[in-house]
């Protein structure tokens, strides 16, 4: 059983043939004309497609039975063009990331250079500027820490924490770190996640002073650990 919507759709599908002047069954022609008298939507659609009759007048229907074949290799050319576009985008993304890394590195080097210059000026302020013109640095809290030394060759004379508003710093004075070996420090939060605090090269028997800094705040850092290049723990402390 069909309803009004089905009847409307069937008559709507006849609009194309009617607009192009194709002959319709007499019953369909009568029904369509009567429907157009009462359906504004179909009249509007007929007005839109009616101009196609003139545009399609020169189309040779016989030629549509054998449409033109695409040139040989078109599929391969399309795939090659897509691959080249993807490669170009990947190269652009790699270049962008490299440029971003270089900009960050340049800013970091500039910052470190400025910090080093400030340190030199403060350290030699008594000679260059006069003690009276160089303000004393503000006192910072210092929390002594007992580091557990795992490597028997390493000795630590002194260690402590400096809580900053931007993170926490481990300062220590020691010797016996393998000369030229890389050591890495990290503060550990309550979940066991390690936040890097910098790295340093061992100086052998020569005493060294380390200032290792992390973005983790002091209250969120219940432990600190220093490992060697193989990941073995050298120093550690529960804070």
């Amino acid at each position: 059983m069909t309803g009004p919507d089905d009847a409307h759709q069937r008559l709507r599908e006849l609009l194309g043939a009617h607009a192009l002047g194709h002959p319709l069954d007499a019953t369909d022609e009568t029904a369509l004309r009567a429907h157009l008298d009462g359906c504004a939507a179909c009249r509007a659609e007929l007005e839109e497609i009616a101009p196609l009759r003139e545009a399609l007048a020169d189309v040779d229907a016989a030629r549509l039975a054998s449409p033109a074949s695409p040139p040989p290799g078109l599929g391969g050319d399309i795939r090659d063009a897509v691959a080249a576009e993807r490669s170009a985008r990947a190269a652009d993304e790699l270049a962008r990331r490299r440029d971003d890394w270089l900009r960050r590195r340049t800013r970091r080097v500039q910052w470190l250079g400025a910090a080093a210059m400030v340190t030199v000026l403060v350290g030699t302020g008594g000679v260059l500027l006069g003690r009276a013109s160089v303000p004393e640095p503000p006192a910072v809290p210092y929390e002594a820490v007992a580091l557990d030394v795992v490597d028997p060759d390493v000795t630590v004379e002194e260690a402590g924490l400096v809580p900053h508003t931007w993170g926490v710093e481990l300062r220590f004075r020691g010797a016996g770190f393998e000369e030229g070996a890389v050591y890495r420090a990290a503060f550990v939060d309550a979940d066991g996640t390690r936040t890097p605090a910098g790295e340093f090269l061992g100086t052998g028997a020569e005493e060294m002073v380390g200032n290792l800094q992390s973005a983790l705040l002091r209250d969120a850092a219940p432990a600190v650990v220093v490992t060697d290049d193989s990941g073995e723990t050298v120093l550690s402390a529960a804070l």
Side-chain angles (χ1 to χ4, degrees):
M1 180 177 181
T2 59
D5 291 340
D6 295 331
H8 176 272
Q9 181 62 28
R10 192 183 72 80
L11 293 173
R12 181 172 176 269
E13 292 173 353
L14 298 176
L15 290 176
H18 177 74
L20 296 177
H22 294 171
L24 298 176
D25 178 87
T27 301
D28 288 340
E29 182 73 25
T30 301
L32 179 60
R33 291 184 179 279
H35 178 72
L36 288 172
D37 289 340
C39 182
C42 286
R43 288 198 303 274
E45 186 170 349
L46 180 61
E47 290 180 2
E48 290 182 4
I49 63 177
L52 294 177
R53 180 174 184 176
E54 182 177 352
L56 296 175
D58 296 330
V59 174
D60 186 356
R63 295 177 60 89
L64 298 179
S66 56
S69 300
L74 177 61
D77 293 342
I78 293 175
R79 289 191 294 270
D80 292 343
V82 172
E85 177 67 19
R86 289 176 176 172
S87 298
R89 290 185 179 181
D92 291 342
E93 178 65 16
L94 181 61
R96 184 189 65 78
R97 292 183 180 181
R98 184 176 63 249
D99 292 343
D100 290 344
W101 180 84
L102 288 174
R103 281 194 293 270
R104 291 195 300 270
R105 185 174 182 274
T106 299
R107 288 196 295 267
R108 184 170 182 269
V109 170
Q110 292 173 343
W111 183 87
L112 291 175
M117 180 62 69
V118 171
T119 301
V120 170
L121 290 175
V122 171
T124 59
V127 177
L128 298 178
L129 303 176
R131 296 290 295 180
S133 62
V134 180
E136 291 293 333
V140 294
Y142 183 83
E143 176 185 346
V145 172
L147 288 174
D148 294 328
V149 181
V150 180
D151 190 332
D153 296 328
V154 174
T155 59
V156 176
E157 298 297 329
E158 179 187 4
L161 294 179
V162 180
H164 296 283
T165 56
W166 44 261
V168 63
E169 177 182 3
L170 172 66
R171 296 180 181 178
F172 71 91
R173 195 163 48 84
F177 297 94
E178 181 181 351
E179 186 171 359
V182 177
Y183 294 85
R184 295 179 175 85
F187 284 90
V188 186
D189 64 17
D191 294 330
T193 302
R194 297 188 176 190
T195 301
E199 57 186 35
F200 60 90
L201 292 177
T203 57
E206 182 180 351
E207 184 180 78
M208 63 169 292
V209 176
N211 296 321
L212 305 170
Q213 301 173 346
S214 167
L216 194 65
L217 294 176
R218 170 64 185 92
D219 292 342
V224 65
V225 62
V226 176
T227 58
D228 60 18
D229 200 27
S230 65
E232 295 295 326
T233 300
V234 177
L235 305 173
S236 65
L239 308 177

